[in-house]
């Protein structure tokens, strides 16, 4: 089998690797010629795909910007971005242009699958008409399905192979054909009856996380006021073996998915005269968190008789999650902006993010950062960073991730 993958980012490239490992030939397409050029010589831009992994897959992979190469594949998986535009509405531009390009080379017998996260109705209402401009009919001449990508970059306990794959085709035959493609790389395929169910299942998963993170974030702001240790509360509640699921507070929600995807549904729901209030409320609470973080840093400085203006503040972790260098929507960026607006002298340490050009900052060595700071704040707790050392050296510092909570507890109990 030959598979074409359109969009070689966090989703598309690992998918290409899985197919290649399974003995499937892959044509990987991207509009970014620089990415294609570096992949072709074995340089990966995705942490989850080390160069050594890429090297073993390369003999089965063709990376190119030439969409015409898709003519020879059996299935085409579209994995392009689905961001929000300036008005926080779905920006389907990349999906539509990728689909148009595919329509230009589509041939009878091919299976097309959209993997990009989107609102229910996208596959049927947007992809079908564009693909049918080829003169071929969806569900008759070619098969079409939606199958959401559920990978969590940086995660090793659940992989593409071990995470069940939802597949919803336009027809039963479409579901069956698309499922057969994924059976090469996934242990379990979960068929659903329509693309809309598959589209909404993915959004439900992300909305569930967003709402629960907001709930625990709100709780953390309350416990801060009440003088209760939120981590102890969460640890205690988590001992319940049923009916409770652990979520942890943090500096806000980052990444490409959680701050964005739920609003795809909000937008779609308006067409049905329906307000998705949980989504809006969760977005509002999570968006407040960087302000709450800055307030905690201000308090830490205040306790040391220092103003924010002119103080040297060391942030630990700039990316939005541990173990990856992804800066998209990272709350650290909002925190830096807020602190700078108050006149702070901000520096950061992040082994995964060498520089933040928009702020003119480069990651400092941990020892230098500690030596030269009035206070530190753990924003994202990357593995391998000695956070306890930071807390010992700068005891008034704040930890938004709870990694050093045992140290605070030990002090409190003395
Ligand atoms: N990153 C994640 O953790 C994750 C998880 C699950 C689902 N998703 C969803 O998967 C989709 C892709 O996300 P991502 O994180 O891989 O994005 P990404 O930005 O990392 O990669 C997308 C790639 O598509 C390319 N591209 C854009 N337009 C194109 C076009 N018209 N033709 C060919 N290539 C094009 C870009 O150059 C880029 O390399 C999104 O809908 C996202 O919501 C992402």
């Amino acid at each position: 089998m030959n598979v074409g993958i359109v969009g070689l980012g966090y989703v598309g490239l690992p998918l290409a690797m899985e197919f290649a490992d399974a003995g499937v030939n892959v044509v990987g397409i991207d509009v970014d010629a620089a990415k294609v050029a570096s992949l072709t010589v074995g340089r990966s831009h995705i942490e989850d795909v080390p160069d050594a992994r890429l090297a073993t897959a390369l003999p089965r992979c063709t990376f190119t910007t030439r969409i015409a190469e898709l003519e020879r594949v059996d299935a085409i998986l579209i994995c392009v971005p689905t961001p929000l535009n300036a008005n926080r509405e779905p920006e389907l531009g990349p999906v539509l242009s990728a689909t148009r390009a595919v329509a230009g080379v589509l041939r009878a017998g091919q299976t097309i699958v959209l993997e990009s996260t989107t609102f229910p109705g996208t596959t049927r209402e947007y992809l079908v008409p564009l693909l049918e401009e080829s003169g071929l009919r969806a569900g008759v001449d070619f098969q079409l399905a939606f199958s959401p990508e559920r990978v969590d970059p940086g995660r090793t306990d659940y992989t593409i192979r071990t995470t069940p794959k939802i597949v919803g085709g336009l027809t039963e035959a479409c579901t069956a054909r698309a499922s057969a493609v994924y059976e090469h790389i996934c242990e379990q395929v979960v068929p659903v009856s329509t693309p809309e169910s598959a589209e909404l299942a993915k959004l439900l998963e992300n909305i569930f996380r967003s709402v629960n993170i907001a709930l625990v974030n709100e709780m953390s702001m309350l416990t801060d006021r009440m003088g209760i240790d939120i981590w102890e509360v969460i640890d205690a509640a988590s001992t319940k073996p049923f009916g409770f699921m652990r979520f942890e507070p943090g500096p806000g929600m980052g990444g490409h998915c959680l701050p964005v995807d739920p609003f795809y549904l909000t937008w779609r729901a308006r067409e049905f005269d329906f307000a998705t209030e949980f989504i809006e409320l969760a977005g509002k609470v999570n968006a407040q968190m960087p302000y709450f973080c800055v307030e905690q840093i201000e308090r830490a400085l205040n306790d040391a008789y220092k103003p924010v203006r002119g103080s040297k503040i060391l942030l630990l972790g700039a990316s939005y999650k541990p173990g990856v260098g992804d800066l998209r929507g990272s709350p650290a960026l909002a925190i830096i902006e807020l602190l700078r607006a108050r006149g702070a002298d901000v520096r950061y340490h992040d082994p995964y993010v060498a520089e933040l050009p928009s702020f003119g900052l480069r990651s400092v060595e941990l020892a230098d950062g500690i030596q030269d700071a009035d206070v530190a704040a753990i924003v994202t707790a990357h593995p391998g960073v000695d956070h306890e050392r930071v807390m010992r050296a700068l005891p008034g510092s704040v930890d938004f991730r709870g990694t050093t909570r045992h140290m605070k507890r030990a002090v409190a109990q003395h």
Side-chain angles (χ1 to χ4, degrees):
M1 192 176 72
N2 296 298
V3 161
I5 295 179
V6 183
L8 298 169
Y10 283 90
V11 166
L13 188 61
L15 205 55
M17 299 298 102
E18 285 297 327
F19 277 109
D21 287 354
V24 175
N25 294 316
V26 177
V27 175
I29 305 278
D30 204 290
V31 283
D32 186 336
K35 248 179 222 175
V36 166
S38 72
L39 288 171
T40 305
V41 295
R43 268 200 313 274
S44 166
H45 53 283
I46 302 289
E47 289 100 347
D48 282 354
V49 180
D51 289 353
R53 170 114 203 260
L54 179 57
T56 58
L58 264 183
R60 288 204 178 275
C61 296
T62 308
F63 297 115
T64 174
T65 55
R66 277 173 37 81
I67 201 91
E69 303 266 348
L70 292 179
E71 258 170 318
R72 61 186 160 98
V73 303
D74 304 294
I76 300 170
L77 317 179
I78 301 175
C79 312
V80 298
T82 42
L84 293 171
N85 66 19
N87 299 323
R88 298 194 60 74
E89 289 169 348
E91 172 55 272
L92 281 187
V95 168
L96 301 184
S97 69
T99 307
R100 256 185 226 110
V102 168
V105 296
L106 188 64
R107 60 170 177 75
Q110 284 182 318
T111 300
I112 315 298
V113 184
L114 178 63
E115 288 223 7
S116 305
T117 308
T118 184
F119 54 81
T122 308
T123 308
R124 194 184 301 273
E125 293 169 33
Y126 291 78
L127 267 66
V128 169
L130 283 179
L131 292 169
E132 288 191 341
E133 281 176 17
S134 62
L136 300 171
R137 285 159 305 158
V140 180
D141 303 313
F142 66 93
Q143 314 298 323
L144 179 63
F146 181 84
S147 178
E149 181 51 70
R150 301 162 113 184
V151 290
D152 182 9
R155 187 162 204 137
T156 50
D157 52 352
Y158 289 100
T159 61
I160 293 180
R161 184 161 289 282
T162 58
T163 306
K165 192 87 174 98
I166 299 172
V167 177
L170 216 54
T171 63
E172 267 179 40
C174 290
T175 305
R177 284 282 292 279
S179 298
V181 172
Y182 289 111
E183 275 158 11
H184 285 88
I185 57 162
C186 298
E187 284 171 8
Q188 192 191 348
V189 173
V190 181
V192 292
S193 63
T194 61
E196 287 78 10
S197 289
E199 290 160 336
L200 189 52
K202 169 69 187 179
L203 290 183
L204 176 61
E205 291 165 14
N206 282 358
I207 291 161
F208 174 83
R209 280 185 57 70
S210 163
V211 167
N212 280 288
I213 291 169
L215 174 66
V216 79
N217 275 339
E218 186 179 76
M219 206 60 85
S220 78
M221 290 190 273
L222 174 63
T223 52
D224 175 70
R225 230 176 257 192
M226 296 172 99
I228 298 172
D229 179 349
I230 183 66
W231 296 100
E232 189 171 29
V233 173
I234 294 168
D235 288 344
S238 301
T239 60
K240 187 173 182 183
F242 52 89
F244 182 82
M245 187 178 282
R246 186 185 179 100
F247 281 86
E248 296 186 347
M253 223 167 42
H256 173 264
C257 296
L258 295 191
V260 172
D261 301 344
F263 295 97
Y264 266 62
L265 188 60
T266 299
W267 178 84
R268 182 62 159 172
R270 272 187 228 129
E271 264 182 70
F272 295 82
D273 197 21
F274 193 95
T276 54
E277 295 189 40
F278 273 98
I279 295 174
E280 297 284 4
L281 181 59
K284 193 172 137 199
V285 172
N286 289 328
Q288 272 172 16
M289 292 312 288
Y291 294 88
F292 177 58
C293 293
V294 168
E295 187 198 318
Q296 290 180 80
I297 294 170
E298 282 170 348
R299 271 193 267 148
L301 286 168
N302 191 50
D303 288 347
Y305 302 94
K306 287 178 181 163
V308 176
R309 186 170 300 281
S311 283
K312 292 171 181 154
I313 301 170
L314 173 66
L315 299 188
L316 282 310
S319 64
Y320 84 92
K321 71 191 276 192
V324 297
D326 194 346
L327 285 169
R328 293 179 294 183
S330 176
L333 307 180
I335 294 172
I336 295 175
E337 213 163 283
L338 291 169
L339 288 172
R340 278 200 165 173
R342 287 160 175 70
D345 179 358
V346 184
R347 63 278 320 272
Y348 79 99
H349 171 74
D350 189 319
Y352 295 85
V353 181
E355 57 180 335
L356 295 175
S358 57
F359 292 108
L361 291 175
R362 288 191 69 82
S363 173
V364 295
E365 288 299 323
L366 189 59
D368 299 341
I370 291 174
Q371 201 180 9
D372 202 25
D374 295 301
V375 72
I378 301 171
V379 181
T380 295
H382 285 302
V385 175
D386 191 349
H387 296 106
E388 295 190 7
R389 174 179 170 200
V390 176
M391 284 300 185
R392 274 195 303 275
L394 298 163
S397 296
V398 283
D399 177 1
F400 306 134
R401 297 290 186 174
T403 11
T404 58
R405 58 186 185 265
H406 54 283
M407 295 174 78
K408 279 247 159 68
R409 265 183 220 161
V411 172
Q413 279 161 5
H414 265 83

